[in-house]
Amino acid sequence: MTDLSAQPRSEAALRKAALRDAALARRDALEIDDRLEWDPDIARQVLELPVWGQGGPVSAYWPMRSEADPRPILEELNRRALLLCLPAIVGGRMIFRQWAPYEPIVPGGFGTLVPPPQQPEVQPRILLVPLAAFDRRGYRIGYGKGYYDRALSDLGQTVSIGIGYAAQEIDTVPEEPHDKRLDWIVTERETIRCG
């Protein structure tokens, strides 16, 4: 599997890099008190989506830096007895390992925390996806490695829910052939049904 960041950068990729930097700067500038107030609003909206009847497994991410925190969502889904998992990068691709709140996690590279290698690999049906930037069509900008786009392509039919703050919205994400559109985007202000 080829790392997209190692390929020659297209005009769209260069524009994405500038948009990523600006959106991350806006997100990083948000007050921690505001983010702590908004994260429960995001969790409530995500948990109200009409997707949970299809069951799991559900993948989320362990938050890093100023990302919206999905852990309250995971705790509630665990109470609902849905199988949970977190992503890990292994051999240049994203896999998903079973995990539940308060189980061990270990450093996974790129500043992430992941379930230990002995945890079983699972195939999620619903993914909670972090955002650097997004548009209302459901396109996102991540951190530039293309792991989520490839995972969404490899997994086939899934429900993908982007989680972030309204400050990360941009007018239009420059599209590239590998980009996968999200089904939903949830911010502290609203739930956006994409597509």
Side-chain angles (χ1 to χ4, degrees):
M1 189 86 33
T2 304
D3 180 351
L4 294 176
S5 65
Q7 297 176 359
R9 298 188 77 173
S10 67
E11 180 62 32
L14 293 172
R15 288 197 330 265
K16 278 184 179 179
L19 291 166
R20 175 185 304 109
D21 291 345
L24 290 176
R26 289 192 306 274
R27 188 182 78 189
D28 290 344
L30 296 172
E31 294 291 331
I32 183 73
D33 290 343
D34 289 334
R35 289 189 285 115
L36 289 172
E37 182 179 321
W38 295 337
D39 285 346
D41 294 335
I42 292 170
R44 177 188 48 76
Q45 291 179 77
V46 168
L47 292 166
E48 290 173 353
L49 289 174
V51 301
W52 304 113
Q54 66 182 301
V58 177
S59 172
Y61 57 92
W62 194 267
M64 59 182 193
R65 301 194 302 251
S66 57
E67 289 178 334
D69 188 349
R71 289 176 294 187
I73 301 166
L74 291 172
E75 289 178 11
E76 175 58 28
L77 294 176
N78 186 58
R79 279 191 286 276
R80 296 181 188 181
L82 291 179
L83 181 65
L84 304 176
C85 56
L86 294 175
I89 306 304
V90 177
R93 71 179 190 83
M94 182 178 282
I95 65 165
F96 301 87
R97 291 186 184 135
Q98 188 173 325
W99 179 83
Y102 310 107
E103 289 185 350
I105 52 175
V106 298
F110 307 107
T112 63
L113 295 172
V114 303
Q118 64 269 25
Q119 286 294 96
E121 188 174 336
V122 297
Q123 299 294 309
R125 296 181 63 191
I126 300 173
L127 287 87
L128 304 177
V129 180
L131 307 166
F134 67 93
D135 67 23
R136 290 187 167 263
R137 300 172 305 154
Y139 288 102
R140 68 181 278 278
I141 297 175
Y143 293 107
K145 301 282 187 186
Y147 291 123
Y148 270 102
D149 289 314
R150 285 194 302 272
L152 288 169
S153 181
D154 291 345
L155 289 169
Q157 190 167 353
T158 58
V159 174
S160 55
I161 305 163
I163 299 175
Y165 301 113
Q168 296 170 252
E169 183 176 353
I170 60 176
D171 288 335
T172 305
V173 170
E175 293 174 51
E176 296 182 272
H178 65 269
D179 289 338
K180 297 296 177 191
R181 196 159 65 164
L182 301 172
D183 298 302
W184 302 86
I185 295 173
V186 179
T187 73
E188 77 280 10
R189 292 186 187 161
E190 63 185 322
T191 297
I192 303 167
R193 178 69 170 106
C194 308

